């Protein structure tokens, strides 16, 4: 049984034929070639009624842009059972895939209740902490080693880091032609505080051979087919990432046992990379003498075209690369989209920004659809690979409907694009600017 939001019907309509969608929804006319919209009086007033204010910078508003105010949604079913806030959005309930609206990601450290959930298979039902072991083996270790949970907790030094985990498919809902899979909008990202031992310290016990190339994880979730022998997902990272200080075998999240749905009792956590490399319910790590080839490492899984392609193009495997560090991105976490202000009221907007393995260098916001940008203030990260808090004070020239857009720039000078970047068949790596609706009346 699949649950899909009706919001996606609207998004789909915009994705397949934005011009027609504009016309249907708002009676808006636009030039199909330049895609510069212009709203006839009738369209303008229809839009104003729906949005609760006229669009002040209507002349700058691209055609086919779904007003951010309409990107609201919600599904309160099933959430309590998984310990999630009722404001989260259930995209799919078999397996559970749940995303978080941007305004519920305002905390510096994301609490469990507001954390997106992504499962490729079924969550394990029974976990015996007394017999649980983590094994390290593979062609590129000197010796196979196993550790009990107690070994891990008592024989190695503990480290705690805040780490951004973002699903590689976050933002997928905006690709056109559409990509199959969970239609994540912006909320498949979180920054929790993970505690555990360094993977590096465990690998040292196994003795990493010179020919080591990659590590691959194995967890205990059950394949959707019910076949106990079938591996759901087994991904990993190159040795360089595996040996970093921040790459942990975690046994705690936000100071407590990891919640069952998020990987209890043990999880590989490698921040800044697609969250799919952070294996839940971790039982085994294989040190490979080649790029790991477990399920969802091969074919077109978590891969994007090396060179940009025209949307809809079929790209052969040898022209795809495995996603590594995630691109620069940001969220507006306050206010909630749709906020109302009184005339003259200033607005303090804020959010988080992150940039995969890199840091965020600058943050900008715009209230005129990206025509002009104001520099926001930006804090350094709590530790490497944690997201960074940004904020800005905005003033609005007159009554009406506005959108606040946010754009981060990483330490190498890459900024977020204003529109959906690099089309790819699986809908990965959409780091387009986040935007919210604000009304002054
Ligand atoms: N064992 C296991 N690990 C897994 C997955 C899974 O299905 N099984 N999903 C991966 C994917 S695709 C993502 S985005 C993250 C989601 O982590 P979360 O559910 O804790 O938010 O877990 C990753 N680790
Ligand atoms: Mo993912």
């Amino acid at each position: 049984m699949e649950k899909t939001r009706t919001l996606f019907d609207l998004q789909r309509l915009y994705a397949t034929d934005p011009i027609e969608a504009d016309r249907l929804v708002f009676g808006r006319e636009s030039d199909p070639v330049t895609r510069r919209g212009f709203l006839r009086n009738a369209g303008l007033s229809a839009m104003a009624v729906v949005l609760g204010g006229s669009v002040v910078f209507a002349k700058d508003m691209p055609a086919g842009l779904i007003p951010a105010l309409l990107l609201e949604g919600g599904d309160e079913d099933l959430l309590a059972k998984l310990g999630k806030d009722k404001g989260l959005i259930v995209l799919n309930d078999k397996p559970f895939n749940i995303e978080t609206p941007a305004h519920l990601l305002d905390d510096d450290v994301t609490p469990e209740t507001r954390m997106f959930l992504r499962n490729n298979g079924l969550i394990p039902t029974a976990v015996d902490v007394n017999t649980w072991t983590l094994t390290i083996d593979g062609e590129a270790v000197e010796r196979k080693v196993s550790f009990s949970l107690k070994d891990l907790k008592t024989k190695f030094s503990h480290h705690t880091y805040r780490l951004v985990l973002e699903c590689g498919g976050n933002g997928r809902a905006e690709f056109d032609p559409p990509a199959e899979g969970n239609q994540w909008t912006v909320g498949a990202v979180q920054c929790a505080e993970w505690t555990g031992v360094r993977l590096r310290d465990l690998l040292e016990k196994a003795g990493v051979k010179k020919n080591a190339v990659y590590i691959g994880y194995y967890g205990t979730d059950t394949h959707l087919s019910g076949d106990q022998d079938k591996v759901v997902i087994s991904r990993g990272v190159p040795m360089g990432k595996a040996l970093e200080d921040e790459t942990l075998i975690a046994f705690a999240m936000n100071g407590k046992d990891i919640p069952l749905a998020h990987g209890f009792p043990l999880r590989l956590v490698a921040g800044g990379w697609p969250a799919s490399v952070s294996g839940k319910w971790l039982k085994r790590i294989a040190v490979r003498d080649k790029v790991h080839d477990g399920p969802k490492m091969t074919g077109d899984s978590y891969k994007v075209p090396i060179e940009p392609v025209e949307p809809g193009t079929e790209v052969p495997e040898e022209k795809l690369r495995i996603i590594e560090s995630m691109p620069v991105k940001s969220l507006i976490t306050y206010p909630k989209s749709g906020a109302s202000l009184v005339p003259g009221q200033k607005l303090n907007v804020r959010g988080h920004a992150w940039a995969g393995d890199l840091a965020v260098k600058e943050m900008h916001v715009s209230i005129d659809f990206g025509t002009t940008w104001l520099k926001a203030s930006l804090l350094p990260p709590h530790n490497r690979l944690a997201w960074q808090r940004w904020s800005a004070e905005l003033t609005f020239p007159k009554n009406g409907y506005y959108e606040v857009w946010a754009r981060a720039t990483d330490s190498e000078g890459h900024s977020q694009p204003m529109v959906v970047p690099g089309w790819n068949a699986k809908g990965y790596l959409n780091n387009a600017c986040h935007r919210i609706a604000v009304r002054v009346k």
Side-chain angles (χ1 to χ4, degrees):
M1 192 203 15
E2 265 217 354
K3 286 183 127 263
T4 314
R5 292 193 290 161
T6 47
L7 160 64
F8 297 125
D9 301 338
L10 179 63
Q11 286 185 326
R12 195 58 70 230
L13 179 66
Y14 268 99
T16 47
D17 192 348
I19 307 300
E20 178 63 9
D22 258 7
R23 212 179 55 74
L24 283 174
V25 177
F26 296 116
R28 182 185 200 191
E29 300 294 341
S30 58
D31 182 331
V33 180
T34 64
R35 279 191 146 202
R36 261 289 159 210
F38 56 92
L39 291 156
R40 293 237 178 101
N41 283 341
L44 267 174
S45 42
M47 181 104 86
V49 169
V50 179
L51 300 177
S54 59
V55 181
V56 175
F57 293 107
K59 69 169 178 37
D60 297 320
M61 190 175 184
L65 185 81
I66 313 174
L69 185 69
L70 301 183
L71 295 178
E72 303 279 300
D75 188 327
E76 296 181 9
D77 298 346
L78 305 165
L79 291 166
K81 188 175 143 196
L82 286 156
K84 299 292 176 194
D85 276 6
K86 64 180 194 308
L88 273 64
I89 298 154
V90 179
L91 296 182
N92 190 314
D93 64 4
K94 199 167 197 238
F96 285 110
N97 291 299
I98 293 171
E99 85 163 302
T100 314
H103 71 280
L104 293 181
L105 287 170
D106 192 42
D107 304 85
D108 287 332
V109 176
T110 313
E112 172 196 350
T113 52
R114 297 180 166 189
M115 196 172 275
F116 85 97
L117 186 61
R118 162 66 172 133
N119 292 305
N120 289 267
L122 304 174
I123 299 172
T125 47
V127 171
D128 183 353
V129 290
N130 297 312
T131 58
W132 192 277
T133 54
L134 170 66
T135 299
I136 298 185
D137 60 7
E139 345 29 287
V141 291
E142 302 287 353
R143 64 201 83 81
K144 171 174 161 174
V145 287
S146 283
F147 308 98
S148 67
L149 289 176
K150 195 166 160 223
D151 290 336
L152 294 175
K153 289 179 183 174
T154 58
K155 295 185 178 161
F156 298 89
S157 61
H158 297 181
H159 301 272
T160 298
Y161 298 105
R162 296 181 188 175
L163 300 167
V164 174
L165 296 190
E166 180 179 16
C167 180
N170 194 22
R172 176 178 289 136
E174 285 190 284
F175 281 100
D176 175 23
E180 275 176 34
N182 286 304
Q183 296 298 303
W184 306 111
T185 62
V186 296
V189 61
Q190 46 106 331
C191 182
E193 197 161 72
W194 298 90
T195 300
V197 302
R198 287 193 172 127
L199 173 58
R200 188 173 70 210
D201 293 347
L202 304 186
L203 292 176
E204 211 165 85
K205 297 285 179 202
V208 175
K209 290 195 199 162
K210 285 213 163 57
N211 61 344
V213 172
Y214 228 88
I215 60 125
Y217 70 74
Y218 291 87
T220 62
D221 37 347
T222 304
H223 196 270
L224 289 178
S225 64
D227 183 343
Q228 297 293 340
D229 299 326
K230 237 176 158 179
V231 176
V232 175
I233 179 172
S234 173
R235 305 198 68 241
V237 294
M239 293 314 295
K241 183 72 178 169
L243 297 172
E244 275 183 1
D245 286 357
E246 298 84 0
T247 300
L248 297 181
I249 302 299
F251 45 72
M253 190 190 89
N254 296 347
K256 293 194 286 201
D257 282 347
I258 300 173
L260 178 64
H262 295 285
F264 179 78
L266 217 53
R267 181 174 193 172
L268 169 66
V269 198
W273 285 41
S276 55
V277 305
S278 293
K280 304 195 271 190
W281 312 293
L282 185 69
K283 278 296 284 182
R284 176 183 163 217
I285 292 217
V287 184
R288 309 297 314 273
D289 62 1
K290 57 179 178 185
V291 174
H292 184 54
D293 53 3
K296 309 236 172 188
M297 273 306 304
T298 57
D300 59 358
S301 291
Y302 300 100
K303 291 184 191 172
V304 289
I306 297 166
E307 297 295 337
V309 299
E310 205 177 301
T313 308
E314 216 170 287
V315 184
E317 216 179 302
E318 64 276 10
K319 298 213 162 141
L320 298 174
R321 66 165 181 96
I322 297 172
I323 299 167
E324 299 196 332
S325 175
M326 294 290 284
V328 62
K329 202 161 169 178
S330 59
L331 276 181
I332 303 164
T333 58
Y334 183 87
K336 181 182 175 185
S337 188
S340 275
L341 303 180
V342 297
Q345 189 184 342
K346 287 188 188 335
L347 177 66
N348 285 300
V349 287
R350 62 171 186 259
H352 307 289
W354 61 97
D357 280 341
L358 302 176
V360 178
K361 183 181 71 179
E362 274 181 356
M363 189 69 214
H364 289 88
V365 288
S366 174
I367 61 164
D368 54 12
F369 302 104
T371 305
T372 60
W373 293 89
L374 172 76
K375 196 166 171 182
S377 68
L378 175 72
L379 295 179
H382 178 266
N383 53 257
R384 182 173 172 258
L385 309 182
W387 61 22
Q388 293 171 239
R389 170 65 75 185
W390 64 265
S391 60
E393 188 182 79
L394 295 175
T395 50
F396 299 87
K398 58 180 185 175
N399 289 4
Y401 175 87
Y402 294 86
E403 295 198 357
V404 178
W405 290 18
R407 189 186 74 193
T409 303
D410 72 21
S411 55
E412 291 182 352
H414 308 113
S415 293
Q416 290 181 255
M418 267 123 76
V419 292
V420 183
W423 184 90
N424 63 92
K426 306 278 289 230
Y428 299 125
L429 306 188
N430 175 7
N431 67 333
C433 290
H434 181 219
R435 61 201 174 93
I436 61 160
V438 172
R439 285 164 296 183
V440 182
K441 56 185 175 191

